Amino acid sequence: MSPFQPFGRLSTMASSAERGTRERIIAVAEESLGDRGYHGTRLHVIAERVGIQKASLFHYFASKADLYHAVLGEGVVESEQAIRRVLESKASPAEKLRALLESYVDMVATHPARTKILLRQSLGDVPNESTAEPERLLGLVAGFVSDGQKAGVFAPLDPLALALGVIGMVAFFFTSTTVLAPGWHDATDTERIKRHVVEMVERCLKVGDRAKADRPCAVRA
Amino acid sequence: MSPFQPFGRLSTMASSAERGTRERIIAVAEESLGDRGYHGTRLHVIAERVGIQKASLFHYFASKADLYHAVLGEGVVESEQAIRRVLESKASPAEKLRALLESYVDMVATHPARTKILLRQSLGDVPNESTAEPERLLGLVAGFVSDGQKAGVFAPLDPLALALGVIGMVAFFFTSTTVLAPGWHDATDTERIKRHVVEMVERCLKVGDRAKADRPCAVRA
DNA sequence: GTCTATATAGGGATAGAC
DNA sequence: GTCTATCCCTATATAGAC
């Protein structure tokens, strides 16, 4: 669940209380980092919400930046797992495409804070000058699209630009409606958004101008 | 150029130095607000870059938040002008669509900082709880798409979702490549991005499956 | 492992001379 | 209109008792 914790974790684990507290801190921090950004996040607020004193945070994390990176870790790992699960399945390219999109929308819907952090990260909102690593996941997806195009299943269109665009589109869409178009969607509208995104991308890649009919069950995340 | 300045501006204008300084402050602030966000922006840095003392900023702006809003103003006004210019032209819907997209991409390309601020705004990165006003401009564009759909020129697709998606896609695209895919585009690649975006949206609205051939010169921003 | 108390620094904002 | 100097608050981080 938390692959980014130090190796010594298992051996030095003290009480179950410690583990729980650490994870609650991360959860609360994720929320705040998404809503307020790194610079806008106040440690004393996190402590307050967790129900501990501010000083106690420093027992679990060496610094604010340390806590930030702990939060980042989880999201990346889980996303990569979801992507690989789809790509390594035995579905058709069109099915995989659909599954990737739905899985991504699901992720955004279930982890809005994580999505906001991604957006903020792309804006350079990171501790100091710790450059956000060039995304490996991006290449994974772009490669899949590229392969499909070579095979003639997808229409030509810059794969990297498409992938980036979709990420931005969905992320902005979710986060912005709260502010720019309040009431447009609520928690139950995820399926609607999913359909919208799938429809858009399929039109862009001209999927199913003949193949759309035979679409069985897609891989789920 | 700066429609948000107080009315008394013309009569109280003292020296040309004052005007120049105020505008330079705004320009520098826009840069910083884009790069570091509201909370990450440091007034002393702005002052330093402008070449004045921090205290002098307060001669022009009552507070940091005040400065922030001054920066916001310009962008909104200019964008609205650009949109109206296109929509009120005598072009075909397909041409207007293309012009809107190109004009938007141009805006993002020429004002990257402004775009970042928009993204940050959608994330709620604003002074305190000054809610970002529900975008009027959004309705303008969505209405245009909707009209085109009723007229049968554009394929059915939620107009508001499309508009939001495009905004997010382009914005994220520009700002993120710097971080996530460095070297993917440079300043001269704007045309390439423009073509990409236009192509995507046209496929989504199924423009030009027959009309794409007769496309004269589009309205420029 | 959690607390209280405090160190240290930095940032927004003001006072008042020039 | 710009400066120097400073106030005041808040935020991160540390010290050390329990």
Side-chain angles (χ1 to χ4, degrees), chain A residues 145 149 155-166 200 204-205, chain B residues 98 101-102 105 166 169-170 173-174 184 189-204 212:
Chain A
V145 173
Q149 290 170 329
L157 192 69
D158 186 318
L160 185 54
L162 176 68
L164 275 175
V166 170
M200 277 194 67
C204 285
L205 293 179
Chain B
R98 186 186 175 83
L101 292 170
E102 293 187 339
V105 173
V166 171
M169 178 170 66
V170 176
F173 191 73
F174 260 90
W184 191 90
D189 272 344
T190 307
E191 294 306 317
R192 176 177 167 198
I193 295 171
K194 234 183 256 185
R195 284 196 301 274
H196 178 84
V197 173
V198 169
E199 182 65 35
M200 276 193 68
V201 175
E202 285 184 343
R203 287 187 193 177
C204 285
K212 225 172 192 171

mmCIF file of all heavy atoms in Angstrom, chain A residues 145 149 155-166 200 204-205, chain B residues 98 101-102 105 166 169-170 173-174 184 189-204 212:
data_model
loop_
_atom_site.group_PDB
_atom_site.id
_atom_site.type_symbol
_atom_site.label_atom_id
_atom_site.label_comp_id
_atom_site.label_asym_id
_atom_site.label_seq_id
_atom_site.Cartn_x
_atom_site.Cartn_y
_atom_site.Cartn_z
ATOM 1 N N VAL A 145 -0.575 3.866 -27.950
ATOM 2 C CA VAL A 145 -1.316 4.527 -29.030
ATOM 3 C C VAL A 145 -0.537 4.417 -30.336
ATOM 4 O O VAL A 145 -1.095 4.112 -31.395
ATOM 5 C CB VAL A 145 -1.568 6.011 -28.692
ATOM 6 C CG1 VAL A 145 -2.178 6.743 -29.880
ATOM 7 C CG2 VAL A 145 -2.472 6.135 -27.472
ATOM 8 N N GLN A 149 -1.580 2.775 -33.960
ATOM 9 C CA GLN A 149 -1.601 3.526 -35.211
ATOM 10 C C GLN A 149 -0.821 2.800 -36.297
ATOM 11 O O GLN A 149 -1.254 2.720 -37.444
ATOM 12 C CB GLN A 149 -1.032 4.934 -34.982
ATOM 13 C CG GLN A 149 -1.958 5.811 -34.149
ATOM 14 C CD GLN A 149 -1.311 7.112 -33.707
ATOM 15 O OE1 GLN A 149 -0.097 7.160 -33.502
ATOM 16 N NE2 GLN A 149 -2.123 8.141 -33.540
ATOM 17 N N ALA A 155 -6.423 6.184 -35.903
ATOM 18 C CA ALA A 155 -6.065 7.191 -36.909
ATOM 19 C C ALA A 155 -4.814 7.941 -36.458
ATOM 20 O O ALA A 155 -4.540 8.040 -35.255
ATOM 21 C CB ALA A 155 -7.221 8.167 -37.088
ATOM 22 N N PRO A 156 -4.041 8.482 -37.381
ATOM 23 C CA PRO A 156 -2.816 9.210 -37.037
ATOM 24 C C PRO A 156 -3.119 10.456 -36.200
ATOM 25 O O PRO A 156 -4.071 11.175 -36.481
ATOM 26 C CB PRO A 156 -2.239 9.617 -38.404
ATOM 27 C CG PRO A 156 -2.906 8.728 -39.394
ATOM 28 C CD PRO A 156 -4.251 8.408 -38.829
ATOM 29 N N LEU A 157 -2.319 10.656 -35.184
ATOM 30 C CA LEU A 157 -2.439 11.823 -34.306
ATOM 31 C C LEU A 157 -1.315 11.720 -33.284
ATOM 32 O O LEU A 157 -1.134 10.663 -32.689
ATOM 33 C CB LEU A 157 -3.796 11.821 -33.587
ATOM 34 C CG LEU A 157 -4.182 13.106 -32.854
ATOM 35 C CD1 LEU A 157 -4.467 14.217 -33.847
ATOM 36 C CD2 LEU A 157 -5.398 12.864 -31.974
ATOM 37 N N ASP A 158 -0.593 12.802 -33.115
ATOM 38 C CA ASP A 158 0.562 12.768 -32.211
ATOM 39 C C ASP A 158 0.195 12.111 -30.875
ATOM 40 O O ASP A 158 -0.606 12.657 -30.103
ATOM 41 C CB ASP A 158 1.063 14.195 -31.975
ATOM 42 C CG ASP A 158 2.358 14.214 -31.165
ATOM 43 O OD1 ASP A 158 2.463 13.437 -30.201
ATOM 44 O OD2 ASP A 158 3.259 14.985 -31.507
ATOM 45 N N PRO A 159 0.760 10.952 -30.570
ATOM 46 C CA PRO A 159 0.352 10.178 -29.386
ATOM 47 C C PRO A 159 0.679 10.891 -28.074
ATOM 48 O O PRO A 159 -0.141 10.910 -27.165
ATOM 49 C CB PRO A 159 1.167 8.887 -29.490
ATOM 50 C CG PRO A 159 1.685 8.839 -30.891
ATOM 51 C CD PRO A 159 1.831 10.267 -31.327
ATOM 52 N N LEU A 160 1.857 11.472 -28.006
ATOM 53 C CA LEU A 160 2.248 12.152 -26.775
ATOM 54 C C LEU A 160 1.343 13.348 -26.512
ATOM 55 O O LEU A 160 0.866 13.558 -25.385
ATOM 56 C CB LEU A 160 3.702 12.604 -26.863
ATOM 57 C CG LEU A 160 4.285 13.220 -25.594
ATOM 58 C CD1 LEU A 160 4.104 12.274 -24.421
ATOM 59 C CD2 LEU A 160 5.763 13.550 -25.779
ATOM 60 N N ALA A 161 1.082 14.104 -27.566
ATOM 61 C CA ALA A 161 0.195 15.255 -27.421
ATOM 62 C C ALA A 161 -1.199 14.804 -27.012
ATOM 63 O O ALA A 161 -1.849 15.434 -26.173
ATOM 64 C CB ALA A 161 0.136 16.044 -28.724
ATOM 65 N N LEU A 162 -1.630 13.702 -27.578
ATOM 66 C CA LEU A 162 -2.952 13.186 -27.218
ATOM 67 C C LEU A 162 -2.994 12.795 -25.749
ATOM 68 O O LEU A 162 -3.908 13.187 -25.016
ATOM 69 C CB LEU A 162 -3.287 11.970 -28.085
ATOM 70 C CG LEU A 162 -4.602 11.274 -27.742
ATOM 71 C CD1 LEU A 162 -5.792 12.158 -28.078
ATOM 72 C CD2 LEU A 162 -4.719 9.929 -28.445
ATOM 73 N N ALA A 163 -1.984 12.051 -25.327
ATOM 74 C CA ALA A 163 -1.953 11.591 -23.934
ATOM 75 C C ALA A 163 -1.924 12.778 -22.974
ATOM 76 O O ALA A 163 -2.718 12.853 -22.030
ATOM 77 C CB ALA A 163 -0.743 10.693 -23.709
ATOM 78 N N LEU A 164 -1.017 13.705 -23.237
ATOM 79 C CA LEU A 164 -0.932 14.891 -22.380
ATOM 80 C C LEU A 164 -2.263 15.629 -22.369
ATOM 81 O O LEU A 164 -2.747 16.057 -21.324
ATOM 82 C CB LEU A 164 0.165 15.822 -22.887
ATOM 83 C CG LEU A 164 1.581 15.537 -22.407
ATOM 84 C CD1 LEU A 164 2.561 16.472 -23.096
ATOM 85 C CD2 LEU A 164 1.659 15.708 -20.905
ATOM 86 N N GLY A 165 -2.830 15.768 -23.555
ATOM 87 C CA GLY A 165 -4.088 16.494 -23.666
ATOM 88 C C GLY A 165 -5.188 15.856 -22.850
ATOM 89 O O GLY A 165 -5.923 16.545 -22.144
ATOM 90 N N VAL A 166 -5.285 14.547 -22.928
ATOM 91 C CA VAL A 166 -6.342 13.850 -22.188
ATOM 92 C C VAL A 166 -6.129 14.004 -20.684
ATOM 93 O O VAL A 166 -7.067 14.288 -19.934
ATOM 94 C CB VAL A 166 -6.387 12.354 -22.566
ATOM 95 C CG1 VAL A 166 -7.316 11.600 -21.633
ATOM 96 C CG2 VAL A 166 -6.844 12.204 -24.003
ATOM 97 N N MET A 200 -14.962 11.311 -26.968
ATOM 98 C CA MET A 200 -14.049 12.275 -27.583
ATOM 99 C C MET A 200 -12.810 11.612 -28.159
ATOM 100 O O MET A 200 -12.441 11.818 -29.315
ATOM 101 C CB MET A 200 -13.621 13.330 -26.552
ATOM 102 C CG MET A 200 -14.606 14.463 -26.378
ATOM 103 S SD MET A 200 -13.856 15.850 -25.460
ATOM 104 C CE MET A 200 -12.630 16.423 -26.611
ATOM 105 N N CYS A 204 -11.414 11.134 -31.953
ATOM 106 C CA CYS A 204 -10.103 11.635 -32.362
ATOM 107 C C CYS A 204 -9.280 10.558 -33.050
ATOM 108 O O CYS A 204 -8.555 10.833 -34.008
ATOM 109 C CB CYS A 204 -9.333 12.162 -31.143
ATOM 110 S SG CYS A 204 -9.916 13.751 -30.560
ATOM 111 N N LEU A 205 -9.405 9.360 -32.548
ATOM 112 C CA LEU A 205 -8.631 8.265 -33.147
ATOM 113 C C LEU A 205 -9.462 7.498 -34.167
ATOM 114 O O LEU A 205 -9.013 6.491 -34.713
ATOM 115 C CB LEU A 205 -8.130 7.322 -32.052
ATOM 116 C CG LEU A 205 -7.095 7.933 -31.108
ATOM 117 C CD1 LEU A 205 -6.664 6.940 -30.040
ATOM 118 C CD2 LEU A 205 -5.868 8.411 -31.902
ATOM 119 N N ARG B 98 -12.555 27.157 -35.738
ATOM 120 C CA ARG B 98 -11.117 27.121 -35.970
ATOM 121 C C ARG B 98 -10.445 28.384 -35.448
ATOM 122 O O ARG B 98 -9.406 28.325 -34.791
ATOM 123 C CB ARG B 98 -10.867 26.957 -37.472
ATOM 124 C CG ARG B 98 -9.419 26.763 -37.833
ATOM 125 C CD ARG B 98 -9.282 26.772 -39.361
ATOM 126 N NE ARG B 98 -7.890 26.701 -39.772
ATOM 127 C CZ ARG B 98 -7.209 25.577 -39.866
ATOM 128 N NH1 ARG B 98 -7.786 24.438 -39.564
ATOM 129 N NH2 ARG B 98 -5.938 25.598 -40.245
ATOM 130 N N LEU B 101 -10.195 28.416 -31.620
ATOM 131 C CA LEU B 101 -9.146 27.529 -31.127
ATOM 132 C C LEU B 101 -7.771 28.134 -31.362
ATOM 133 O O LEU B 101 -6.921 28.157 -30.467
ATOM 134 C CB LEU B 101 -9.254 26.166 -31.823
ATOM 135 C CG LEU B 101 -10.494 25.354 -31.450
ATOM 136 C CD1 LEU B 101 -10.643 24.145 -32.372
ATOM 137 C CD2 LEU B 101 -10.425 24.907 -30.007
ATOM 138 N N GLU B 102 -7.554 28.642 -32.569
ATOM 139 C CA GLU B 102 -6.243 29.215 -32.882
ATOM 140 C C GLU B 102 -5.971 30.433 -32.012
ATOM 141 O O GLU B 102 -4.854 30.648 -31.540
ATOM 142 C CB GLU B 102 -6.173 29.571 -34.366
ATOM 143 C CG GLU B 102 -6.207 28.339 -35.253
ATOM 144 C CD GLU B 102 -5.962 28.674 -36.719
ATOM 145 O OE1 GLU B 102 -6.158 29.856 -37.099
ATOM 146 O OE2 GLU B 102 -5.589 27.756 -37.465
ATOM 147 N N VAL B 105 -5.039 29.184 -28.539
ATOM 148 C CA VAL B 105 -3.671 28.652 -28.495
ATOM 149 C C VAL B 105 -2.659 29.793 -28.553
ATOM 150 O O VAL B 105 -1.653 29.787 -27.843
ATOM 151 C CB VAL B 105 -3.420 27.648 -29.630
ATOM 152 C CG1 VAL B 105 -1.959 27.227 -29.670
ATOM 153 C CG2 VAL B 105 -4.307 26.430 -29.461
ATOM 154 N N VAL B 166 -11.152 21.503 -23.629
ATOM 155 C CA VAL B 166 -10.164 22.126 -24.513
ATOM 156 C C VAL B 166 -9.296 23.110 -23.739
ATOM 157 O O VAL B 166 -8.059 23.123 -23.888
ATOM 158 C CB VAL B 166 -10.852 22.836 -25.691
ATOM 159 C CG1 VAL B 166 -9.842 23.662 -26.459
ATOM 160 C CG2 VAL B 166 -11.502 21.816 -26.605
ATOM 161 N N MET B 169 -6.984 21.055 -21.683
ATOM 162 C CA MET B 169 -6.047 20.325 -22.528
ATOM 163 C C MET B 169 -4.914 21.230 -22.989
ATOM 164 O O MET B 169 -3.732 20.916 -22.798
ATOM 165 C CB MET B 169 -6.798 19.771 -23.736
ATOM 166 C CG MET B 169 -5.938 19.033 -24.726
ATOM 167 S SD MET B 169 -6.967 18.176 -25.932
ATOM 168 C CE MET B 169 -7.711 19.565 -26.782
ATOM 169 N N VAL B 170 -5.262 22.341 -23.578
ATOM 170 C CA VAL B 170 -4.241 23.243 -24.108
ATOM 171 C C VAL B 170 -3.379 23.818 -22.987
ATOM 172 O O VAL B 170 -2.144 23.832 -23.072
ATOM 173 C CB VAL B 170 -4.887 24.380 -24.911
ATOM 174 C CG1 VAL B 170 -3.822 25.357 -25.371
ATOM 175 C CG2 VAL B 170 -5.644 23.821 -26.094
ATOM 176 N N PHE B 173 -1.253 21.213 -21.523
ATOM 177 C CA PHE B 173 -0.298 20.822 -22.528
ATOM 178 C C PHE B 173 0.910 21.750 -22.561
ATOM 179 O O PHE B 173 2.055 21.323 -22.483
ATOM 180 C CB PHE B 173 -0.988 20.837 -23.880
ATOM 181 C CG PHE B 173 -0.179 20.221 -24.929
ATOM 182 C CD1 PHE B 173 -0.013 18.862 -24.963
ATOM 183 C CD2 PHE B 173 0.454 20.996 -25.860
ATOM 184 C CE1 PHE B 173 0.776 18.289 -25.927
ATOM 185 C CE2 PHE B 173 1.239 20.434 -26.819
ATOM 186 C CZ PHE B 173 1.402 19.076 -26.852
ATOM 187 N N PHE B 174 0.613 23.019 -22.635
ATOM 188 C CA PHE B 174 1.698 24.000 -22.700
ATOM 189 C C PHE B 174 2.527 24.021 -21.436
ATOM 190 O O PHE B 174 3.751 23.975 -21.468
ATOM 191 C CB PHE B 174 1.126 25.400 -22.934
ATOM 192 C CG PHE B 174 1.213 25.835 -24.350
ATOM 193 C CD1 PHE B 174 0.177 25.568 -25.221
ATOM 194 C CD2 PHE B 174 2.328 26.505 -24.829
ATOM 195 C CE1 PHE B 174 0.245 25.959 -26.539
ATOM 196 C CE2 PHE B 174 2.399 26.896 -26.149
ATOM 197 C CZ PHE B 174 1.352 26.633 -27.016
ATOM 198 N N TRP B 184 9.949 18.800 -25.858
ATOM 199 C CA TRP B 184 8.929 18.367 -26.801
ATOM 200 C C TRP B 184 8.544 19.515 -27.741
ATOM 201 O O TRP B 184 8.403 19.347 -28.924
ATOM 202 C CB TRP B 184 7.691 17.871 -26.074
ATOM 203 C CG TRP B 184 6.738 17.190 -27.000
ATOM 204 C CD1 TRP B 184 6.711 15.867 -27.311
ATOM 205 C CD2 TRP B 184 5.700 17.790 -27.759
ATOM 206 N NE1 TRP B 184 5.729 15.615 -28.205
ATOM 207 C CE2 TRP B 184 5.085 16.760 -28.500
ATOM 208 C CE3 TRP B 184 5.226 19.081 -27.890
ATOM 209 C CZ2 TRP B 184 4.015 17.000 -29.363
ATOM 210 C CZ3 TRP B 184 4.164 19.321 -28.747
ATOM 211 C CH2 TRP B 184 3.566 18.290 -29.481
ATOM 212 N N ASP B 189 6.982 26.153 -31.931
ATOM 213 C CA ASP B 189 6.103 25.037 -32.257
ATOM 214 C C ASP B 189 4.628 25.352 -32.084
ATOM 215 O O ASP B 189 3.798 24.447 -32.108
ATOM 216 C CB ASP B 189 6.457 23.824 -31.397
ATOM 217 C CG ASP B 189 7.529 23.000 -32.061
ATOM 218 O OD1 ASP B 189 7.743 23.203 -33.267
ATOM 219 O OD2 ASP B 189 8.135 22.175 -31.382
ATOM 220 N N THR B 190 4.327 26.600 -31.881
ATOM 221 C CA THR B 190 2.938 26.962 -31.647
ATOM 222 C C THR B 190 2.026 26.505 -32.776
ATOM 223 O O THR B 190 0.921 26.008 -32.531
ATOM 224 C CB THR B 190 2.808 28.482 -31.478
ATOM 225 O OG1 THR B 190 3.711 28.915 -30.476
ATOM 226 C CG2 THR B 190 1.397 28.849 -31.087
ATOM 227 N N GLU B 191 2.511 26.647 -33.991
ATOM 228 C CA GLU B 191 1.683 26.261 -35.148
ATOM 229 C C GLU B 191 1.358 24.771 -35.114
ATOM 230 O O GLU B 191 0.236 24.362 -35.422
ATOM 231 C CB GLU B 191 2.408 26.616 -36.447
ATOM 232 C CG GLU B 191 2.574 28.115 -36.659
ATOM 233 C CD GLU B 191 1.249 28.865 -36.568
ATOM 234 O OE1 GLU B 191 0.250 28.379 -37.133
ATOM 235 O OE2 GLU B 191 1.209 29.920 -35.907
ATOM 236 N N ARG B 192 2.341 24.010 -34.736
ATOM 237 C CA ARG B 192 2.138 22.565 -34.642
ATOM 238 C C ARG B 192 1.048 22.224 -33.628
ATOM 239 O O ARG B 192 0.157 21.414 -33.889
ATOM 240 C CB ARG B 192 3.468 21.930 -34.228
ATOM 241 C CG ARG B 192 3.420 20.449 -33.983
ATOM 242 C CD ARG B 192 4.829 19.981 -33.654
ATOM 243 N NE ARG B 192 4.886 18.642 -33.113
ATOM 244 C CZ ARG B 192 5.932 18.175 -32.442
ATOM 245 N NH1 ARG B 192 6.981 18.969 -32.245
ATOM 246 N NH2 ARG B 192 5.953 16.956 -31.978
ATOM 247 N N ILE B 193 1.127 22.868 -32.489
ATOM 248 C CA ILE B 193 0.124 22.637 -31.453
ATOM 249 C C ILE B 193 -1.248 23.085 -31.936
ATOM 250 O O ILE B 193 -2.258 22.426 -31.706
ATOM 251 C CB ILE B 193 0.520 23.382 -30.165
ATOM 252 C CG1 ILE B 193 1.808 22.786 -29.612
ATOM 253 C CG2 ILE B 193 -0.585 23.306 -29.142
ATOM 254 C CD1 ILE B 193 2.408 23.562 -28.478
ATOM 255 N N LYS B 194 -1.253 24.202 -32.606
ATOM 256 C CA LYS B 194 -2.502 24.711 -33.149
ATOM 257 C C LYS B 194 -3.149 23.674 -34.055
ATOM 258 O O LYS B 194 -4.334 23.362 -33.931
ATOM 259 C CB LYS B 194 -2.199 25.986 -33.953
ATOM 260 C CG LYS B 194 -3.009 27.178 -33.553
ATOM 261 C CD LYS B 194 -2.698 28.341 -34.446
ATOM 262 C CE LYS B 194 -1.821 29.347 -33.761
ATOM 263 N NZ LYS B 194 -1.599 30.556 -34.588
ATOM 264 N N ARG B 195 -2.361 23.146 -34.971
ATOM 265 C CA ARG B 195 -2.896 22.135 -35.892
ATOM 266 C C ARG B 195 -3.426 20.933 -35.131
ATOM 267 O O ARG B 195 -4.500 20.402 -35.432
ATOM 268 C CB ARG B 195 -1.803 21.691 -36.873
ATOM 269 C CG ARG B 195 -1.516 22.687 -37.974
ATOM 270 C CD ARG B 195 -0.726 22.036 -39.108
ATOM 271 N NE ARG B 195 0.552 21.479 -38.649
ATOM 272 C CZ ARG B 195 1.688 22.167 -38.544
ATOM 273 N NH1 ARG B 195 1.698 23.450 -38.889
ATOM 274 N NH2 ARG B 195 2.795 21.604 -38.131
ATOM 275 N N HIS B 196 -2.673 20.536 -34.127
ATOM 276 C CA HIS B 196 -3.086 19.376 -33.337
ATOM 277 C C HIS B 196 -4.437 19.606 -32.673
ATOM 278 O O HIS B 196 -5.338 18.762 -32.761
ATOM 279 C CB HIS B 196 -2.022 19.078 -32.276
ATOM 280 C CG HIS B 196 -2.367 17.938 -31.376
ATOM 281 N ND1 HIS B 196 -2.126 16.626 -31.707
ATOM 282 C CD2 HIS B 196 -2.948 17.912 -30.152
ATOM 283 C CE1 HIS B 196 -2.550 15.850 -30.722
ATOM 284 N NE2 HIS B 196 -3.045 16.600 -29.771
ATOM 285 N N VAL B 197 -4.561 20.735 -32.035
ATOM 286 C CA VAL B 197 -5.806 21.025 -31.302
ATOM 287 C C VAL B 197 -6.984 21.158 -32.260
ATOM 288 O O VAL B 197 -8.059 20.589 -32.023
ATOM 289 C CB VAL B 197 -5.648 22.311 -30.466
ATOM 290 C CG1 VAL B 197 -6.980 22.701 -29.856
ATOM 291 C CG2 VAL B 197 -4.601 22.113 -29.394
ATOM 292 N N VAL B 198 -6.762 21.889 -33.333
ATOM 293 C CA VAL B 198 -7.843 22.060 -34.307
ATOM 294 C C VAL B 198 -8.275 20.701 -34.851
ATOM 295 O O VAL B 198 -9.470 20.403 -34.948
ATOM 296 C CB VAL B 198 -7.387 22.983 -35.456
ATOM 297 C CG1 VAL B 198 -8.395 22.956 -36.583
ATOM 298 C CG2 VAL B 198 -7.202 24.400 -34.950
ATOM 299 N N GLU B 199 -7.307 19.907 -35.170
ATOM 300 C CA GLU B 199 -7.614 18.580 -35.717
ATOM 301 C C GLU B 199 -8.446 17.765 -34.730
ATOM 302 O O GLU B 199 -9.458 17.164 -35.084
ATOM 303 C CB GLU B 199 -6.305 17.844 -36.044
ATOM 304 C CG GLU B 199 -6.492 16.486 -36.668
ATOM 305 C CD GLU B 199 -7.148 16.551 -38.042
ATOM 306 O OE1 GLU B 199 -6.867 17.518 -38.773
ATOM 307 O OE2 GLU B 199 -7.953 15.653 -38.363
ATOM 308 N N MET B 200 -8.028 17.783 -33.469
ATOM 309 C CA MET B 200 -8.740 17.009 -32.453
ATOM 310 C C MET B 200 -10.189 17.460 -32.318
ATOM 311 O O MET B 200 -11.110 16.641 -32.352
ATOM 312 C CB MET B 200 -8.042 17.152 -31.095
ATOM 313 C CG MET B 200 -6.883 16.205 -30.892
ATOM 314 S SD MET B 200 -6.356 16.176 -29.152
ATOM 315 C CE MET B 200 -7.768 15.398 -28.377
ATOM 316 N N VAL B 201 -10.366 18.760 -32.178
ATOM 317 C CA VAL B 201 -11.724 19.248 -31.949
ATOM 318 C C VAL B 201 -12.588 19.037 -33.184
ATOM 319 O O VAL B 201 -13.774 18.684 -33.081
ATOM 320 C CB VAL B 201 -11.697 20.737 -31.549
ATOM 321 C CG1 VAL B 201 -13.111 21.276 -31.430
ATOM 322 C CG2 VAL B 201 -10.948 20.911 -30.239
ATOM 323 N N GLU B 202 -12.005 19.215 -34.332
ATOM 324 C CA GLU B 202 -12.799 18.994 -35.551
ATOM 325 C C GLU B 202 -13.231 17.539 -35.666
ATOM 326 O O GLU B 202 -14.344 17.246 -36.110
ATOM 327 C CB GLU B 202 -11.992 19.420 -36.782
ATOM 328 C CG GLU B 202 -11.924 20.943 -36.929
ATOM 329 C CD GLU B 202 -11.221 21.379 -38.199
ATOM 330 O OE1 GLU B 202 -10.518 20.543 -38.800
ATOM 331 O OE2 GLU B 202 -11.369 22.536 -38.591
ATOM 332 N N ARG B 203 -12.358 16.658 -35.253
ATOM 333 C CA ARG B 203 -12.765 15.255 -35.280
ATOM 334 C C ARG B 203 -13.865 14.996 -34.259
ATOM 335 O O ARG B 203 -14.804 14.246 -34.513
ATOM 336 C CB ARG B 203 -11.567 14.355 -34.977
ATOM 337 C CG ARG B 203 -10.564 14.262 -36.110
ATOM 338 C CD ARG B 203 -9.490 13.217 -35.816
ATOM 339 N NE ARG B 203 -8.363 13.341 -36.736
ATOM 340 C CZ ARG B 203 -7.260 12.589 -36.670
ATOM 341 N NH1 ARG B 203 -7.149 11.670 -35.725
ATOM 342 N NH2 ARG B 203 -6.271 12.765 -37.538
ATOM 343 N N CYS B 204 -13.736 15.646 -33.113
ATOM 344 C CA CYS B 204 -14.751 15.455 -32.075
ATOM 345 C C CYS B 204 -16.114 15.955 -32.519
ATOM 346 O O CYS B 204 -17.141 15.353 -32.205
ATOM 347 C CB CYS B 204 -14.347 16.187 -30.795
ATOM 348 S SG CYS B 204 -13.033 15.361 -29.888
ATOM 349 N N LYS B 212 -14.497 20.131 -44.857
ATOM 350 C CA LYS B 212 -13.135 20.526 -44.560
ATOM 351 C C LYS B 212 -12.431 21.109 -45.780
ATOM 352 O O LYS B 212 -11.494 21.911 -45.659
ATOM 353 C CB LYS B 212 -12.339 19.322 -44.065
ATOM 354 C CG LYS B 212 -11.484 19.605 -42.856
ATOM 355 C CD LYS B 212 -10.916 18.300 -42.347
ATOM 356 C CE LYS B 212 -10.295 18.430 -40.998
ATOM 357 N NZ LYS B 212 -9.955 17.097 -40.473
#
